[in-house]
């Protein structure tokens, strides 16, 4: 699948996918990476070390710092794949060196799948 | 075509203006490339979010400290609220630890030449752009106010991108900096009378949730005060992520008038009120000033509190910007408010201060405050007029 580079880098890992948008500020614990938003499809699950797949970001502009805090603590997602990346998540990826790609048909990506990401080229492949 | 840079911008990107400026320019160029900008544009005013230590944490503070090593603000730059009143924090029950860390955040910004007035209403204290001016603001309510009410042009910046704009004096030209992205898409006819700030907050919730990011053109509001508009902006940004709206006869931007029409009735506002009113709320916290109270609101509140006393077991925070608090001191409003047992808190607000666990139920005139009180602090909430809030505090 070919999309748009948000922030470059190569990696491969396991998908954690959701149909719900994510608010990192208030919706994700900045120390553990666990999604804490009530009623969220991923509530109680950790995004640490996963290829996190979600439609787009929502909520407060402080969200970029949550991604940064997670990465500094080694609890960040391995990569991010969006339908459409909003500026808050984009800034979070850029300052935290998280490879990210958007304009991907994310419905084809399922939790547990192994994927390879070449973010510089905007390419996501299912292994 | 791709993004074109001037020679000065290229120099910043190459690190000739220091490390922080390089990092800042890198971020702006990245965003410009992602969102298809053809060039960067100079901006003249910045508002930075991500100031409360409660929100930033140690990692966020580290990021700021790195930038502060050689970064300098190039344009007028002000700050969002911090987690505490920077002077009177002790009497508001803030811990020494928190105060120390909060001060480190503010010091890092001060080192960069940022004006450390911590407020969500920079337009009330001197960071006031004019119509048509390109700016880079974070703080969703102020973004909405500046785009819609003032007619300046800004995207919804995040903390790091607003700081980057300040250190470079630039932003990438995309989104709301382009006229074609500011045109109304759906018309809302308001078929009821809005009386107070809380009504405007309820209307913000109704339109925000209904409009799904489509730019509203609002009719049927004969007049609105600055205070009512700031309440509306905060609410529509919180509940709808809206960065710009048009209000017939009130806001200055040019737009086509959309055909697609929605009606808003009193019943819709009542419904919104029901969603913010918890039946079993036990009110022990009353907060006014989200967004920060104007001097007019403070003078009215002082008048209401004259000779009254806040009842035991209730805490009252009137939150505002420091210059407004200083003015309130000169005018005697501060003494009246504090003598009644309420607090005039500057620099902070009930949404970003570390208040979780301290209260059970919040009464406020702000729809935005209700959202954060529930989501972040697990408080129950009730939304009322300012007058009713003060009556609840002193009854």
């Amino acid at each position: 699948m070919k999309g748009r580079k948000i922030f470059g880098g190569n990696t491969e890992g396991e998908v954690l996918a959701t149909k719900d948008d994510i608010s990192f500020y208030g919706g994700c614990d900045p120390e553990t990476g666990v999604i804490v938003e009530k009623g969220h499809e991923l509530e109680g699950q950790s995004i640490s070390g996963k290829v996190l797949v979600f439609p787009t970001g929502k909520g407060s502009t402080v969200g970029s710092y949550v991604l940064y805090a997670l990465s500094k603590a080694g609890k960040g997602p391995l990569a991010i794949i969006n339908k459409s990346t909003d500026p808050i998540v984009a800034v979070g990826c850029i300052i935290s060196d998280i490879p990210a790609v958007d304009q991907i048909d994310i419905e084809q990506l399922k939790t547990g799948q192994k994927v390879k990401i070449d973010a510089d080229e905007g390419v996501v492949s299912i292994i | 075509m791709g993004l074109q840079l001037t020679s000065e911008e290229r120099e910043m990107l190459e690190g000739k203006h220091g490390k922080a400026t390089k990092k800042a320019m890198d971020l702006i160029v990245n965003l410009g490339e992602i969102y298809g900008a053809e060039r960067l544009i100079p901006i003249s005013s910045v508002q930075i979010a991500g100031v409360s230590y409660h929100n930033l944490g140690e990692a966020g503070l580290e990021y700021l400290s790195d930038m502060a090593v050689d970064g300098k603000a190039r344009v007028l730059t002000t700050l969002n609220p911090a987690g505490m009143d920077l002077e009177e924090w002790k009497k508001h029950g803030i811990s020494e630890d928190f105060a120390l860390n909060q001060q480190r955040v503010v010091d890092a910004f001060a080192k960069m030449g940022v004006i450390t007035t911590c407020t969500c209403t920079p337009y009330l204290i001197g960071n006031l752009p004019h119509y048509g001016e390109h700016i880079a603001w974070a703080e969703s309510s102020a973004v909405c106010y500046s785009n819609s009410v003032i007619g300046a042009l800004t995207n919804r910046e995040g903390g790091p991108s607003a700081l980057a704009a300040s250190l470079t004096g630039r932003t990438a030209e995309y989104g709301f900096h382009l006229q074609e992205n500011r045109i109304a898409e759906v018309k809302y006819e308001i078929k009821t009378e809005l009386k107070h700030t809380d009504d405007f907050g309820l209307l913000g919730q109704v339109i925000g949730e209904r409009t799904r990011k489509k730019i509203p053109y609002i009719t049927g509001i004969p007049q609105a005060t600055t205070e009512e508009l700031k309440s509306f902006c905060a609410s529509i940004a919180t509940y709808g992520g809206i960065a710009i709206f048009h209000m017939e006869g009130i806001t200055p931007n040019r737009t086509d008038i959309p055909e697609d029409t929605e009606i808003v009735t009193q019943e819709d506002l009542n419904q919104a009120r029901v969603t913010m009113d918890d039946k079993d709320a036990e009110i022990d916290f009353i907060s006014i000033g989200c967004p920060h109270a104007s001097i007019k609101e403070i003078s009215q509140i002082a008048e209401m509190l004259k000779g009254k006393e806040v009842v035991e077991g209730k805490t009252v925070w009137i939150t505002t910007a420091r210059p407004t608090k200083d003015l309130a001191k000169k005018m005697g409003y501060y003494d009246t408010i504090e003598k009644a047992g309420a607090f005039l808190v500057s620099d902070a607000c009930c949404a970003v201060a570390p208040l979780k666990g301290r209260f059970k139920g919040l009464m406020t005139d702000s729809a935005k405050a209700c959202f954060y009180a529930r989501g972040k602090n697990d408080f129950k909430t009730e939304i009322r007029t300012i007058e009713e809030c003060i009556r609840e505090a002193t009854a």
Side-chain angles (χ1 to χ4, degrees):
Chain A
M1 285 183 277
K2 174 103 172 77
R4 172 174 73 167
K5 164 190 143 183
I6 297 293
F7 190 77
N10 287 295
T11 186
E12 53 179 87
E14 195 183 310
V15 168
L16 178 66
T18 173
K19 288 182 209 64
D20 293 346
D21 296 343
I22 295 180
S23 169
F24 285 95
Y25 176 62
C28 177
D29 185 312
E31 279 168 20
T32 61
V34 172
I35 298 289
V36 293
E37 182 183 331
K38 292 204 176 87
H40 196 281
E41 193 185 353
L42 299 182
E43 186 181 350
Q45 297 189 57
S46 171
I47 64 170
S48 285
K50 302 285 187 194
V51 174
L52 185 61
V53 179
F54 59 104
T56 189
K58 61 173 181 179
S60 166
T61 54
V62 187
S64 316
Y65 283 120
V66 174
L67 276 171
Y68 185 75
L70 285 169
S71 293
K72 278 262 163 173
K75 300 274 184 182
L78 204 57
I80 284 180
I81 299 172
N82 290 145
K83 193 160 168 238
S84 149
T85 302
D86 71 296
I88 307 304
V89 171
V91 168
C93 291
I94 296 165
I95 65 175
S96 320
D97 295 331
I98 300 171
V101 176
D102 81 342
Q103 295 176 355
I104 293 285
D105 179 12
I106 59 168
E107 278 166 27
Q108 298 196 34
L109 296 168
K110 310 272 182 246
T111 295
Q113 272 174 347
K114 285 261 196 305
V115 292
K116 195 168 148 190
I117 294 147
D118 178 353
D120 292 298
E121 297 299 322
V123 174
V124 177
S125 343
I126 300 168
I127 310 172
Chain B
M1 259 291 262
L3 182 66
Q4 303 289 316
L5 299 181
T6 65
S7 54
E8 193 192 9
E9 288 159 2
R10 260 198 308 276
E11 278 179 24
M12 290 188 204
L13 194 59
E14 286 157 6
K16 289 182 184 151
H17 296 261
K19 264 175 85 174
T21 308
K22 176 182 161 51
K23 257 173 98 172
M25 187 49 93
D26 205 26
L27 181 55
I28 286 170
V29 165
N30 249 306
L31 286 171
E33 281 170 350
I34 293 169
Y35 295 105
E38 289 177 6
R39 57 175 189 158
L40 306 186
I41 47 174
I43 44 98
S44 47
S45 159
V46 170
Q47 166 76 3
I48 294 177
V51 179
S52 172
Y53 181 76
H54 191 54
N55 298 342
L56 278 170
E58 201 53 35
L61 174 56
E62 228 171 84
Y63 179 82
L64 293 174
S65 305
D66 273 359
M67 296 302 265
V69 170
D70 66 349
K72 281 280 175 280
R74 285 177 180 242
V75 297
L76 176 64
T77 305
T78 46
L79 288 182
N80 237 24
M84 63 180 198
D85 187 308
L86 296 175
E87 286 170 10
E88 293 193 289
W89 51 270
K90 212 171 241 173
K91 78 174 190 191
H92 305 141
I94 304 291
S95 75
E96 295 262 355
D97 258 7
F98 183 84
L100 198 75
N101 286 323
Q102 183 62 68
Q103 195 56 52
R104 288 164 65 212
V105 174
V106 172
D107 290 347
F109 282 118
K111 188 158 182 266
M112 289 186 266
V114 171
I115 294 172
T116 54
T117 286
C118 305
T119 181
C120 48
T121 58
Y123 48 89
L124 290 181
I125 54 100
N127 191 352
L128 177 62
H130 61 72
Y131 180 85
E133 203 167 337
H134 289 274
I135 61 175
W137 280 18
E139 168 49 30
S140 62
S141 75
V143 165
C144 187
Y145 191 95
S146 61
N147 271 328
S148 314
V149 180
I150 298 170
L153 300 90
T154 180
N155 283 318
R156 276 161 61 92
E157 300 293 347
S161 65
L163 176 61
S166 174
L167 300 185
T168 59
R170 303 290 200 284
T171 194
E173 189 182 40
Y174 69 96
F176 296 109
H177 290 286
L178 300 168
Q179 202 52 46
E180 68 258 31
N181 298 325
R182 299 167 63 89
I183 306 296
E185 294 167 287
V186 54
K187 185 165 151 187
Y188 286 87
E189 284 182 20
I190 314 306
K191 301 283 192 190
T192 182
E193 194 190 343
L194 306 173
K195 295 192 192 78
H196 301 285
T197 45
D198 60 330
D199 289 335
F200 277 83
L202 295 175
L203 180 67
Q205 193 263 12
V206 170
I207 297 179
E209 294 218 322
R210 215 188 271 180
T211 202
R212 306 219 155 254
K213 298 262 163 91
K214 281 195 173 162
I215 299 176
Y217 182 89
I218 301 160
T219 67
I221 299 178
Q223 58 197 18
T225 64
T226 295
E227 288 75 12
E228 288 162 345
L229 289 168
K230 83 174 155 69
S231 171
F232 179 73
C233 287
S235 179
I236 198 169
T238 298
Y239 291 96
I242 289 294
I244 183 169
F245 64 87
H246 304 267
M247 203 178 267
E248 197 169 76
I250 292 172
T251 59
N253 291 297
R254 287 175 197 186
T255 179
D256 302 333
I257 300 173
E259 298 265 306
D260 189 6
T261 302
E262 296 258 338
I263 306 290
V264 179
T265 62
Q266 184 58 44
E267 183 51 32
D268 294 324
L269 295 198
N270 294 347
Q271 278 299 324
R273 194 181 286 279
V274 168
T275 67
M276 281 176 229
D277 274 1
D278 290 304
K279 281 208 176 61
D280 50 347
E282 196 182 312
I283 302 299
D284 53 0
F285 184 39
I286 292 103
S287 184
I288 299 163
C290 169
H292 272 169
S294 68
I295 192 68
K296 180 167 120 191
E297 287 173 315
I298 291 172
S299 79
Q300 287 165 342
I301 291 163
E303 194 55 39
M304 291 174 203
L305 281 172
K306 215 172 247 176
K308 300 254 174 63
E309 214 169 300
V310 173
V311 294
E312 212 177 304
K314 292 192 184 181
T315 301
V316 180
W317 277 27
I318 316 296
T319 52
T320 192
R322 176 157 304 280
T324 315
K325 181 177 180 177
D326 288 344
L327 191 54
K329 279 185 179 167
K330 279 210 174 75
M331 297 301 295
Y333 308 148
Y334 173 86
D335 283 345
T336 307
I337 289 168
E338 298 261 329
K339 202 185 276 172
F343 294 117
L344 185 61
V345 177
S346 67
D347 318 310
C349 80
C350 67
V352 296
L355 295 176
K356 196 169 182 174
R358 278 181 60 186
F359 304 108
K360 294 196 199 81
L362 168 73
M363 185 181 281
T364 174
D365 70 320
S366 164
K368 175 177 181 170
C370 288
F371 180 86
Y372 283 101
R374 290 166 163 222
K376 274 190 62 197
N377 288 331
D378 276 334
F379 298 161
K380 306 260 178 173
T381 60
E382 281 182 8
I383 182 164
R384 293 288 181 275
T385 65
I386 291 180
E387 210 169 346
E388 287 166 327
C389 288
I390 298 299
R391 212 175 304 141
E392 172 75 23
T394 55

